[in-house]
Amino acid sequence: MSQQYPQQPGGDVPPPPGWGVPQQGWGTPPPPPQPPKKSSTGKILGFGCLGVVALVIVIGVIAAVAGGGGKGDDGKADAGKSGVPSAASSSRPGGSEPAGKPAAVEITAKKASFTKSVLADGDAYTSVSVTIRNNSGKKVSVNPLYFTVTDTNGTKHTDELGVDDKQIDTVDLSPGENISGTVTGKGTFTPKYVTFTEDLFGDPVRVDVK
């Protein structure tokens, strides 16, 4: 005996179970179509471009830093090379200069006996014999007033003009010339060093009394 299936509207007969894909009920709308899958090719290309740009920027920064550092080092090196050493002071004892370079004004001083002149007021004077030599390339002015004598107590004595017959003369020394004479201070004391200051405003030259 054959199985009877109910008739559907329109006279269609549904297939028996197990045959094909079950049909949706009549009146049920079909499911919406699935959206197409997005391709990842665009994302890959986007990230690739960003990577190239970032790499270019990093290379540029490294090059700029390297270039700036080299310039700064060169600047420091040039600054170190451009430094000019200061000239040696001529006021050191004896007017001494670095080895191999003679002093512009060379002075020697030693104790001397006081030789009384007609201008001296008694015998209470102390004299020092000095020799001054011009080692520079220009003239050097010499005057008894340019000399002072400092004693062992630190007291400075100016020259007493005309009281010693052997007083050093007032002259201009040409390069290579020298002159000797006495510098005399008032009172009896032990001389320690003599200081010469040309024109009273030049660089002082000091020498110990021997």
Side-chain angles (χ1 to χ4, degrees):
M1 182 175 181
S2 64
Q3 185 178 359
Q4 299 292 324
Y5 292 94
Q7 295 288 332
Q8 299 292 334
D12 295 330
V13 178
W19 290 86
V21 179
Q23 298 292 329
Q24 294 180 349
W26 293 99
T28 302
Q34 295 182 355
K37 294 183 180 180
K38 294 183 179 180
S39 175
S40 59
T41 304
K43 293 183 180 180
I44 295 174
L45 292 177
F47 283 118
C49 293
L50 290 177
V52 173
V53 173
L55 180 61
V56 171
I57 293 175
V58 170
I59 293 175
V61 170
I62 294 175
V65 171
K71 184 176 181 181
D73 294 339
D74 293 342
K76 292 180 181 179
D78 293 341
K81 293 179 182 178
S82 64
V84 180
S86 59
S89 173
S90 61
S91 61
R92 57 181 66 178
S96 60
E97 294 288 340
K101 183 179 180 182
V105 177
E106 181 181 355
I107 301 175
T108 59
K110 60 182 180 179
K111 295 178 182 180
S113 299
F114 170 64
T115 304
K116 184 178 179 180
S117 74
V118 296
L119 299 177
D121 182 12
D123 295 324
Y125 295 94
T126 300
S127 294
V128 176
S129 176
V130 297
T131 299
I132 179 169
R133 177 184 297 275
N134 180 10
N135 293 327
S136 69
K138 60 181 181 179
K139 73 174 185 177
V140 173
S141 297
V142 178
N143 190 302
L145 295 177
Y146 298 165
F147 293 89
T148 60
V149 181
T150 302
D151 62 27
T152 52
N153 294 323
T155 303
K156 182 178 291 187
H157 304 266
T158 58
D159 184 72
E160 295 292 325
L161 293 176
V163 298
D164 192 312
D165 280 338
K166 297 180 180 180
Q167 175 179 281
I168 194 167
D169 291 332
T170 299
V171 295
D172 287 334
L173 295 179
S174 298
E177 292 184 336
N178 67 85
I179 190 173
S180 298
T182 59
V183 178
T184 304
K186 190 173 183 179
T188 302
F189 56 86
T190 302
K192 183 177 182 180
Y193 58 84
V194 173
T195 303
F196 170 76
T197 307
E198 185 179 5
D199 298 327
L200 300 179
F201 298 103
D203 293 330
V205 179
R206 192 182 75 181
V207 60
D208 293 334
V209 178
K210 298 180 180 179

